Amino acid sequence: MDWLWFVLVGLACLLAGLALGFFIARKTMMNYMKKNPPINEQMLRVMMMQMGQNPSQKKINQMMKAMQRQQDKK
């Protein structure tokens, strides 16, 4: 009977550790992405020029706002 408690406690600790680790990693990554956004206006302008588009400031602002809204949803 002692081994049963040992297994149950071990499984409970494993599940708790996995859940805690997941949430800590998620929070850390969200803070990192907020501090270091993956794309800025200059990078967006260069990408559009490489694709053969002539980017206007209005178009860049629209794309940046759309990306910001998408990030804020999550």
Side-chain angles (χ1 to χ4, degrees), residues 49-62:
M49 290 174 79
Q50 287 175 345
M51 290 187 292
Q53 296 181 10
N54 190 11
S56 65
Q57 188 63 37
K58 181 180 178 182
K59 195 170 194 177
I60 289 175
N61 289 342
Q62 285 175 342

Side-chain angles (χ1 to χ4, degrees), residues 10 18 20-22 29 31 36 46 53 58:
L18 285 172
L20 188 62
F22 170 77
M29 283 304 295
N31 286 340
N36 302 309
V46 169
Q53 296 181 10
K58 181 180 178 182

Side-chain angles (χ1 to χ4, degrees), residues 22-37:
F22 170 77
F23 287 112
I24 289 172
R26 182 175 181 262
K27 179 72 172 168
T28 303
M29 283 304 295
M30 289 179 81
N31 286 340
Y32 176 80
M33 294 303 271
K34 190 174 276 192
K35 291 178 184 174
N36 302 309

